Amino acid sequence: FSNDDDLDVSRLTYYALYALQHRGQESCGIAVNNVDADGNIKMLQYKDMGLVQEVFNDFVLNELSGQAAVGHVRYGTTGASSRESAQPLVSRYLKGSFALAHNGNLVNVEAMREELQAQGAIFQSTNDSEIVAHLMAKERINTASTAEAMLKVMKEIKGAYSLVILTPKRLIAVRDPQGFKPMCIGKLKNSYVFASETCALDSIGADYVREVEPGEVVVVDKEGLHSYTELCGQKRALCIFEYIYFARPDSVIDNMNVYHSRILAGKALAKSYPVEADLVVGVPDSGIAAAKGYAEGSGIPYGIAFHKNSYVGRTFIKPKQSQRESSVKIKLNVLSEVVKGKRVIMVDDSIVRGTTCANIIKMLKAAGATEVHVRVSSPPFLYPCYFGTDVPSNEVLIAHSHSQEEICEMIGADSLGYMELDKLQETVGDICYCDACFTGKYPMAIPENIIE
Ligand code: AMP
């Protein structure tokens, strides 16, 4: 939200989205509240399938001028992977237009969708965010302000949502009462910025101010920042997978540095699963810091075993299932100079299906590693996530149907050690988190109709 600072809001949003690309590569978009020569405010937007650098160019950004902007990179979980699901979602209603960007997954949308459809509502997508837009428009008609309408909507929706909503004159940030997904506030001159991660603030030179509190509604307008906290104070459930995999290591989430958390995870692994070896290596990107932590904890030297090709984008034609192995090889290559003749400890953030891990072990051995000991900085993935992490169904989760010994054999490792559940807390300090994908203990009741 540019408050008399004459900021190029669409370019700043573009740079911030660039920094957040790791959070979603399916589609992206930017919306701005454009004021024309007659003083009329119009919502302009541009979105498409693909990466930020593929979708935007100078011409498009020049067209998107406004007082404030909202941007989104989508990582598809619910709804089809299509242009209709791309965000921000711009809606027109009785009081004007608004653009909405949503991170997270709602768990009670199906019942609400049916109810709205029974009243005649039509939807453009199968996306849960569209339900929020509908409820928002509905509540706004009977309330004095957008903030008040939002607080009403928050009492109806359940699940994970970090939202940024742009109206003609305001920018509104909302975080669900459990705070599943991260969201922070930054300041650039006199203007405010909201982002999922602090690395986005860094990329545009904004200063970190604070987190949006779980349950909080923050409104920015010409007068500054206004906070509504009546839904704050509930038990928190920040997604632990943000620290393990999702977030960039240079981000700070709820006052915990992601890199530091991964170092602590590596140290915990070194304590739980020591093994004699010559070298500790991390699988890029999320395994690197944990590998460094394992090396520090064990005293075994840390080495760089992989080169990752940074240019694998949407245009990368994915090999067929039968050629899956080459998919990993195109993205990652082993530095045989480093691993030849060595007993290697390989640290990765997670094993989901087991395919990636098995392929990388094969590559390490082909490059001359004599032993490969796998250490995983998360506990075994056992349960689906309903809050926005795309965990495949139970049948393909390797840990769901196999013991640790079986997995070790299947992936071709010489030994395997997963992060212990009761050690997770020490990797994030005193943060209250959701680890339901490892325990099956969900922080809220999951409606019968969506249980897998
Ligand atoms: P897999 O071959 O299914 O075992 O893939 C595991 C790899 O996928 C790990 O190295 C992770 O870095 C990455 N990964 C884990 N969880 C996810 C997720 N929800 N979405 C995308 N990638 C993931």
Side-chain angles (χ1 to χ4, degrees), residues 20 78 105 127 160 190 211 228 236 357 404 412 451:
L20 294 172
T78 64
N105 244 29
N127 200 326
N190 292 311
E211 301 296 308
Y228 301 83
R236 296 181 172 203
C357 202
Q404 208 149 307
I451 290 180

Side-chain angles (χ1 to χ4, degrees), residues 75 241 245 348-356 389-390:
Y75 158 89
F241 211 46
Y245 168 76
D348 201 358
D349 62 276
S350 57
I351 298 180
V352 183
R353 296 173 183 82
T355 338
T356 315
T389 300
D390 194 17

Side-chain angles (χ1 to χ4, degrees), residues 21 30 37 43 49 69 158 162 170 176 180 183-184 203 221-222 261 270 291 304-305 331 349 398 436 438:
Q21 185 75 80
I30 296 176
M43 211 56 82
M49 306 300 287
K158 289 195 169 52
S162 280
R170 289 178 183 83
D176 66 70
F180 281 102
M183 171 114 88
C184 60
S203 75
D221 58 19
K222 275 266 167 217
S261 165
I304 296 171
K331 287 186 202 162
D349 62 276
I398 193 168
F438 311 133

Side-chain angles (χ1 to χ4, degrees), residues 21 41 51 84 131 135 200-201 222 244 252 287 295 310 316 368:
Q21 185 75 80
I41 304 176
L51 301 176
E84 288 72 43
I131 305 271
L135 294 173
L201 305 182
K222 275 266 167 217
I244 296 168
V252 178
S310 336
F316 171 62

Side-chain angles (χ1 to χ4, degrees), residues 97-147:
S97 295
F98 64 94
L100 176 144
H102 173 201
N103 176 26
N105 244 29
L106 303 179
V107 297
N108 65 334
V109 279
E110 286 321 315
M112 279 188 294
R113 192 192 303 276
E114 278 167 26
E115 199 184 316
L116 286 164
Q117 277 172 337
Q119 294 164 15
I122 51 172
F123 293 96
Q124 287 178 27
S125 73
T126 48
N127 200 326
D128 57 349
S129 314
E130 207 178 340
I131 305 271
V132 182
H134 259 277
L135 294 173
M136 184 72 203
K138 217 170 134 198
E139 296 297 354
R140 181 67 183 92
I141 292 165
N142 302 313
T143 42
S145 69
T146 324

Side-chain angles (χ1 to χ4, degrees), residues 1 3 169-170 190 192 219-226:
F1 186 94
N3 206 354
K169 291 186 177 161
R170 289 178 183 83
N190 292 311
Y192 284 99
V219 179
V220 180
D221 58 19
K222 275 266 167 217
E223 276 73 52
L225 194 140
H226 315 271

Side-chain angles (χ1 to χ4, degrees), residues 52-259:
V52 176
Q53 66 176 16
E54 294 166 331
V55 169
F56 291 99
N57 56 42
D58 263 330
F59 176 77
V60 172
L61 292 173
N62 288 342
E63 294 295 303
L64 290 172
S65 78
Q67 189 202 8
V70 55
H72 188 264
V73 286
R74 180 171 155 86
Y75 158 89
T77 48
T78 64
S81 161
S82 64
R83 292 194 71 201
E84 288 72 43
S85 293
Q87 294 194 23
L89 201 69
V90 174
S91 312
R92 284 168 197 83
Y93 76 124
L94 211 60
K95 298 210 176 226
S97 295
F98 64 94
L100 176 144
H102 173 201
N103 176 26
N105 244 29
L106 303 179
V107 297
N108 65 334
V109 279
E110 286 321 315
M112 279 188 294
R113 192 192 303 276
E114 278 167 26
E115 199 184 316
L116 286 164
Q117 277 172 337
Q119 294 164 15
I122 51 172
F123 293 96
Q124 287 178 27
S125 73
T126 48
N127 200 326
D128 57 349
S129 314
E130 207 178 340
I131 305 271
V132 182
H134 259 277
L135 294 173
M136 184 72 203
K138 217 170 134 198
E139 296 297 354
R140 181 67 183 92
I141 292 165
N142 302 313
T143 42
S145 69
T146 324
E148 216 177 290
M150 197 60 234
L151 287 163
K152 282 200 162 176
V153 173
M154 289 167 80
K155 288 176 189 157
E156 296 171 66
I157 56 178
K158 289 195 169 52
Y161 52 94
S162 280
L163 302 166
V164 179
I165 298 164
L166 175 63
T167 71
K169 291 186 177 161
R170 289 178 183 83
L171 191 62
I172 299 144
V174 184
R175 197 167 168 195
D176 66 70
Q178 276 75 34
F180 281 102
K181 296 287 167 186
M183 171 114 88
C184 60
I185 309 177
K187 202 161 184 200
L188 186 62
K189 298 188 191 171
N190 292 311
S191 305
Y192 284 99
V193 190
F194 300 103
S196 288
E197 289 183 38
T198 56
C199 68
L201 305 182
D202 296 337
S203 75
I204 57 167
D207 293 323
Y208 171 80
V209 176
R210 66 173 176 87
E211 301 296 308
V212 173
E213 290 301 318
E216 189 183 17
V217 175
V218 183
V219 179
V220 180
D221 58 19
K222 275 266 167 217
E223 276 73 52
L225 194 140
H226 315 271
S227 161
Y228 301 83
T229 57
E230 68 172 74
L231 294 177
C232 293
Q234 300 183 33
K235 192 164 192 285
R236 296 181 172 203
L238 177 69
C239 169
I240 188 79
F241 211 46
E242 288 286 342
Y243 293 102
I244 296 168
Y245 168 76
F246 259 122
R248 249 171 61 163
D250 52 333
S251 286
V252 178
I253 299 175
D254 284 356
N255 297 316
M256 180 73 191
N257 178 268
V258 175
Y259 176 79

